[in-house]
Amino acid sequence: FIYMRTPCVYVCVSLTYLGIGQARLLRSVHAKPENTLTYDRLVHYAAQNNARKRLCPHPENSTQFSTNDKCTMAPENRFDCARDRVLSQKECEDRGCCYAPLPDTAGPPWCFYPHLYPGYIMGPLSPTRRGQAATLTRAKPSYLPKDISTLRLEVIEESAGCLHLTVKDPSYPRYEVQLLGEPHSGAHGKTDSQDTLYSTEFHPDPFGFMVRRKSNGRVILNTTVAPLLFADQYLQLSTALASTFVSGLGEHYTSLRLDLNWTSLTLWNRDMAPHADANLYGSHPFYIVQEEDGFAHGVFLLNSNAVEVVLQPTPALTWVAIGGILDLFVFLGPDPQSVIRQYLQVIGYPMMPPYWSLGFHLCRWGYTTSNTTRKVAQRMHAANFPMDVQWNDLDYANKRRVFTFDPWRFGDLPEMVEEFHKRGMKYILILDPGISSTSPPGTYPPFDNGLKRDVFIKNTTGNILIGKVWPGPTAFPDFTNPETRQWWEDCIRDFHSKVPVDGLWIDMNEPASFVQGSVEGCPDSDIENPPYTPRVVGGQLNSGTLCMSAQQRLSSHYNLHNMYGLTEAYATHSALVKVRGKRPFVLSRSSYPSIGQFSGVWTGDVRSDWEQLRYSIPAVLQFSLFGVPLVGADICGFGGDTTEELCVRWMQLGAFYPFMRNHNDKPNAPQEPYVFGKKAQAAMRSVLNLRYSLLPFLYTLFHHAHTSADTVARPLFLEFPSDPNCQTIDRQFLWGSSLLITPVLEPGVEELAAYLPPGTWYSIHNVSYTALLFFSMCEPFYSKGQYLLLPALLDTINIHVREGHIIPRQEPALTTTASRGNPFFLTVALSAGGWAWGDLFWDDGDSLGTFETGSYCYLIFVAGQCQVVSEPQRLNGDLDGLVLGGIQVFGVPSPPRYVLANGEKVRDFTYRSDTKVSLLNDAINVIYLVSTQHVFTVQWAL
C-alpha cells in the first residue's frame, strides 16, 4: 500500500499489470485527477522500481524475487551499496546487495542495491502541532556501525510552494542547524493541503516517499529508488531527478549545469584555490532542477556536517551526511526565480549594500607601506580611472597580527584613511580570525582580553586549541559564543577609533590553519577519523583546519566547521553596525546558507589564466542562486602573472560582476589598470565608466534582491525558463531582466557568437560622455532565439538592453561620492508595441534600514504612446536638486517632428534612422528628476 498526502479515502482494486503479474491500483473515492494514482502512474512506478512485489498484500501474491530479478537493472540505475568502503563480492552479497563488475571502473558501482532493498518500515501518519509525523523502524540493523533503528519522520507543509521533511532520532538529541539571522516573513504559515503545489506519497515498506507537482503529475522527488540509511555518522538518502539540468551544490569549480556522469561533490569548507574535483571555500547544500516547459524545483538539505553529493545519469542524486539530521526543504516554484525566492524565504533575504561598495575596488598583497598604498590610489585617479575603495592586505599589520598596524611601514595609516575620506573614497583592510597567541603577556590586548573572557575554541582537554596561520601560533575565536561576539565588537571598536575603516575583509575563515588540526595534533577518535570520510582535499576532515573534536559553545567543530565563516560574518556585520552606525560592508571567503544576509563573497585565489576567467561566470551565478548577490572574482587573477589582453578582458567582464575588485598576489607582475599600454587603458577606462553610469540601475537591482529575493547577476534560464537554449548557457548572463552581458573569454578573439533570446535587443557597449551630451552607436538585433556573430575588438564588451525596459543611469565620475550628484539619464528600449518600463530606488546610500524606515525615493518610469513619464511612488528628499540630463530612446520608427519636456519644446535632439535611436540631450535646462509637480513627461510627435 502507499500513503498519499491528500484528503481522500483510498481502496485497493485488483488489476492485472501486463507482462509482470498482478498489482493493485490505489484510487480515491472522490479524488481530483491530480490526487489519483492512475493506471499509467502505477505502471510508471512499478516499471521504475521493477516491482513485481504486490502494492496491496494478498495471500496469492507471496512469490519472492529471484536474485536475478532483484539485480536486473541498467548500469546507470545502480545505487552504490559500498560507498562507505571497498567490498569484495562476498562482502557485498553478505550485505544483501548485488555484485556485477563492469569494464568501466570509474562509472556505475559494481556493488549495488537490489530492488526494494530491506530498510525502515513506516508507521501511520499522525497529526502534530506543525504537520504530521510517523515512526520509522527497522526489523534488523543495517550494515553500518552505530545504526539507529527507530526514527521520527515529520512532514510540514510550510507554504503552498514549500514542503519540509525531517528525519531524526527521537530518543537521542543530535546536532541540528539553526540558521543565523531571520527567515523572511513569508517562510512559514498555515497551509491548506488543497492549495499546495505538491502532493506527497509514502511507500511504507521499505520506506520511501515521492513528491509530485500537482499541475502535471510530474514526480520531482522519489526516494524509493534506494534505501534510507541512518547511523550515528552516516546518513544517506537517494532520489531520482526530474531532469538532467541541475545547478547548485557549491562551492565547486564547475559549469553552471552540473555533470551527472557519476560525479561526486563534497561540501566541506577548505582553504583551496579553485580547481576541478576539489571542495572549496563554501558549502551550499541546495540545488535547482530545470524541468520541462519552464517549470523548476529546488531542494535544500539543512545540514552543516561534511556532506557528499553523488550525481549519476539515471538521473539521480544521493546525499551522504556524516552527522546531524536529515532536514529537507522542497521548493516547488513553479518557475526558477520562484524557487530561489522560496529558498531565500527559508535562509533569509540578502542585505542591502552601501552604494559606494558597488564602485571599483583595488587591492594587492604587496602594498608594503602606506606611501605605496597612497600612490596607487593617486595614480588611478590621475589616469582618470574611477575607483571608490582602496584596500590593504596583511601588509599593514604589525607582525601580521590583526587589530594592529606596523608603526614603521604604516605609522600614518590613520592619516592615510582620512585623506581617502576627504577625496570621497573608502578604505578596507583584511581581518583574519586567527589571533596570535605568542605575544608577551600584556602586549597584545586581543589575545589577552580574549583569554580573560574565555572566547577561544578549546581542545578536548579544555585548553585553548592552537593552530598556525600568518602570525604563527594562533587561537581561534568561537563565534557561536555570545561573549566572543561582544569581544570581537570591542576589538573592532578599539581599532576603528584609531583607523576608521569603512568595511572589513574576513579571510582565512574556513577556518584555515597551516598545521593539521592543531600544533599538538588531534586525538584518535571517530570524530577525527569517522567510519566514512567524504572525498576531501587532504584526505582527512582536519586537513588544513582545526581538530574535529575541538569544542565550541554550541557543539563540536565536527558539526560546526562549515558554519565558521558564517558565524564570523554575522559577528562582524553586527559589530560594524554598532561601531560605525552605518550600513556595513563585509566580504567573506568562507560561506554557508544565509551568509548573504551579512556579507558579500569573493571566489578566492583564482589564477591569472583564461580558463579561470571563463569559470568565474558560473561561480558568480551560483552564488546568485545561493542568495549572495554581492559576489565577484579577483579581476585579472590573484595567482600568477596576467597578460595585457587577459587583464583587459577580465576588467570588461569584472565590470559586470556585482562586486568589482582587482586583487593580486605578492610575487606577480603588477596589474593595476594604469600599468598597461594606452589602448588597454582606454578599454579599461571605457568599461569602468560604463559600469559607473549603470550604478543607479545596479543599486535598484540590489534593492529588489534585498526586499523581494530577486537575483542581480542572473543566469539566462532564470529569466527565460521556457527557452531550451538558455538551459545551459553560462558564458553569458543578465543583470536583472534588462541587460545581457556577453564577454570575450578566449585570447585573440575579434568576434564571438552570442545567444540572444527571442525579442529585440539594443547594443549599448559604446557610450561616450561629454559634459551633458552623450551619444550611442546602438543597433537593434531582432532575434528569434538564435546565436548571432558580434564584433568583439579589444575595446569592446557586448552589452544589450532588452526591449520593453528602461534603464536609469547617471553620468560617471571618479568616485560614487561625485557621481551621485551628476545628472541622470534614461536608456529607453521600446517594445514592438512602443512600450517600456523601468524603476529607480534611491536613498542616501549609506544609512541603515532606509527601506524598512521609509527613508528613500522610489520612481517608476513608463514609456508608451510617444512619451516617457515618471511616476514617483515615494519621495523623501534624497533626489531633490538632481536633474534628468538626457533620454535615449530605442525603437522610434521615424524622426520626431518635435519633442516636449514638461510641456516645453526641446531645442535640440538627434535621430539615427539606421538604428531608430532618438537622443534628447538638452533636457538639463528643463527637467528636474523630482520637481514640485513630482513628475516629468517627455513627449514626441511622429
Side-chain angles (χ1 to χ4, degrees), residues 9 73 89 103 164 167 200 213 221 226 296 314 316 340 451 541 592 598 642 650-651 667 742 765 778 789 810 893 923:
V9 178
M73 64 184 72
Q89 180 172 352
H164 184 190
V167 179
T200 312
R213 186 179 297 283
L221 212 64
T314 314
I340 302 305
L451 202 60
L541 297 179
Y592 186 79
F598 317 110
T642 192
W650 213 321
M651 282 286 285
T742 308
H765 68 263
C778 306
L789 199 61
Q810 202 167 20

Side-chain angles (χ1 to χ4, degrees), residues 49-53 63-67 69-70 115-116:
N49 292 277
N50 199 17
R52 303 183 185 190
K53 184 176 179 180
T63 305
Q64 299 296 310
F65 282 124
S66 71
T67 301
D69 286 338
K70 291 191 295 182
H115 297 292
L116 299 175

Side-chain angles (χ1 to χ4, degrees), residues 444-471:
Y444 185 43
F447 182 73
D448 294 333
N449 294 335
L451 202 60
K452 294 174 186 176
R453 297 169 71 168
D454 194 23
V455 304
F456 298 118
I457 294 175
K458 293 184 171 63
N459 59 27
T460 53
T461 65
N463 295 317
I464 295 174
L465 182 143
I466 302 297
K468 189 175 183 181
V469 201
W470 299 115

Side-chain angles (χ1 to χ4, degrees), residues 13 124 172 192 300 439 495 512 514 559 656 725 733 740 893:
V13 182
Y172 182 79
D192 188 333
F300 172 41
S439 299
F495 186 73
F514 300 155
N559 291 326
F656 292 90
N725 295 311
F733 60 99
L740 177 64

Side-chain angles (χ1 to χ4, degrees), residues 643-875:
T643 65
E644 183 169 273
E645 182 187 8
L646 174 62
C647 202
V648 168
R649 293 306 193 188
W650 213 321
M651 282 286 285
Q652 289 171 340
L653 168 59
F656 292 90
Y657 294 153
F659 168 65
M660 185 185 188
R661 183 183 71 162
N662 179 322
H663 181 38
N664 194 6
D665 198 1
K666 266 186 178 181
N668 304 335
Q671 60 190 37
E672 295 83 4
Y674 55 72
V675 304
F676 297 103
K678 289 185 178 180
K679 288 185 178 179
Q681 287 194 40
M684 294 180 180
R685 189 179 298 110
S686 174
V687 78
L688 271 170
N689 279 321
L690 177 56
R691 178 187 176 90
Y692 271 64
S693 79
L694 290 166
L695 289 184
F697 173 62
L698 180 60
Y699 192 61
T700 301
L701 292 180
F702 270 98
H703 161 70
H704 291 304
H706 174 60
T707 59
S708 304
D710 286 352
T711 47
V712 177
R714 184 173 301 177
L716 269 68
F717 78 79
L718 250 70
E719 187 64 25
F720 302 98
S722 298
D723 184 346
N725 295 311
C726 294
Q727 288 182 310
T728 60
I729 290 176
D730 61 6
R731 299 170 65 92
Q732 301 169 262
F733 60 99
L734 296 154
W735 266 13
S737 59
S738 310
L739 286 187
L740 177 64
I741 295 99
T742 308
V744 170
L745 302 172
E746 286 87 21
V749 169
E750 294 188 350
E751 59 182 16
L752 82 166
Y755 182 74
L756 271 61
T760 302
W761 299 83
Y762 298 91
S763 174
I764 62 167
H765 68 263
N766 242 347
V767 178
S768 61
Y769 308 89
T770 57
L772 302 171
L773 193 64
F774 33 88
F775 303 91
S776 174
M777 300 296 292
C778 306
E779 57 184 274
F781 295 89
Y782 305 102
S783 176
K784 297 178 181 178
Q786 64 201 84
Y787 280 89
L788 299 174
L789 199 61
L790 303 176
L793 298 176
L794 188 62
D795 64 350
T796 302
I797 179 171
N798 281 280
I799 309 297
H800 292 85
V801 61
R802 183 182 177 190
E803 65 171 328
H805 293 266
I806 298 176
I807 309 295
R809 303 171 69 180
Q810 202 167 20
E811 186 179 337
L814 294 181
T815 65
T816 56
T817 302
S819 69
R820 281 176 57 88
N822 283 348
F824 284 83
F825 59 100
L826 301 180
T827 294
V828 181
L830 297 177
S831 68
W835 296 89
W837 185 95
D839 62 344
L840 172 68
F841 175 85
W842 197 257
D843 57 12
D844 67 10
D846 212 17
S847 293
L848 295 165
T850 57
F851 175 74
E852 291 76 9
T853 60
S855 182
Y856 64 93
C857 297
Y858 182 65
L859 276 65
I860 289 175
F861 307 109
V862 179
Q865 298 179 324
C866 295
Q867 66 177 7
V868 179
V869 178
S870 71
E871 298 178 356
Q873 306 297 298
R874 187 178 191 91
L875 299 171

Side-chain angles (χ1 to χ4, degrees), residues 45 64 97 120 152 156 182 234 248 254 281 297 300 326 379 499 503 644 686 699 745 782:
Y45 177 78
Q64 299 296 310
C97 292
Y120 288 93
R152 175 180 169 85
I156 307 149
E182 294 293 333
Y234 191 97
T254 65
Y281 310 102
H297 69 271
F300 172 41
L326 293 176
R379 292 186 67 182
V499 184
E644 183 169 273
S686 174
Y699 192 61
L745 302 172
Y782 305 102

Side-chain angles (χ1 to χ4, degrees), residues 3-7 10 125 132 155 157 193 199-202:
Y3 292 124
M4 294 184 67
R5 281 287 300 112
T6 50
Y10 306 108
L125 284 165
Q132 290 191 308
V155 184
E157 295 177 346
S193 294
S199 63
T200 312
E201 306 163 18
F202 294 94

